[in-house]
Amino acid sequence: MGIWKDYICFCRELGYDLKNSFVLFPKDLIVAHKLAYQDVLNRREQERRKKMQQEERRAKRLLKKYRNLYAWKDNRFAVVVPKDLLEIKEEGHTLHHCVATYTSRVADGTSIILFVRDLQSPDKPFYTMELQKNKIIQCRGYSNHVMTSEVQEFVKRYESRVLKKIREKNAA
């Protein structure tokens, strides 16, 4: 009975006609269940991929716009805007923190993810910063370590020289 119940749920999800006795009472329930289950998995995967592509397109447009607003450096560190969502995921993987789970928020514009880089190793992940409404929510290093005093001072300068100006411009 459990297999039939699962099968009916799959049929509903797939939009099959449950008034049709051929669908409702298949000749071989086990085979029908397996086929319906595979169809459900395929459909879900297609929807997941489509959602990811849409998010990637939205995020790329936003990140391109952010490049002119948020990129900044001093003589030791730089704030870098990621190129795409994959770069954000790679950052999280390399630094062993959860920024990869923020990609939907980046795509819908509720969070801005920026990379803090040491100019001596500009391509190497160092710290990851999250902004919301042009305020720094967090800035984390490897395994979510808090900022060193040097990075903290840099982030304070970034806040006053870049983010403050953006907030003032948006308020005007």
Side-chain angles (χ1 to χ4, degrees), residues 66-74 79 81 114 129 131 134-136 154-170:
Y66 296 160
R67 220 162 266 117
N68 294 329
L69 289 171
Y70 295 100
W72 184 75
K73 67 181 179 178
D74 67 5
V79 171
V81 177
L114 303 170
M129 186 172 7
L131 306 180
N134 292 312
K135 293 190 188 252
I136 298 169
F154 170 77
V155 168
K156 283 181 186 175
R157 286 192 304 278
Y158 179 76
E159 172 88 43
S160 67
R161 294 182 184 170
V162 177
L163 297 179
K164 184 178 176 188
K165 289 178 184 176
I166 293 171
R167 288 191 299 266
E168 288 169 355
K169 185 179 175 184
N170 289 343

Side-chain angles (χ1 to χ4, degrees), residues 7 10 27 58 64 67 78 81 88 90 93 100 104 146-147 152 154-156 171:
Y7 166 74
F10 298 150
K27 189 190 275 187
R58 287 194 321 265
K64 184 178 178 182
R67 220 162 266 117
V81 177
I88 294 171
E90 289 171 347
H93 178 74
S104 292
V146 296
M147 295 177 278
Q152 203 167 18
F154 170 77
V155 168
K156 283 181 186 175

Side-chain angles (χ1 to χ4, degrees), residues 84-96 99-100 125:
D84 53 31
L85 296 180
L86 179 60
E87 198 171 29
I88 294 171
K89 290 175 184 178
E90 289 171 347
E91 175 95 350
H93 178 74
T94 302
L95 291 180
H96 296 253
V99 75

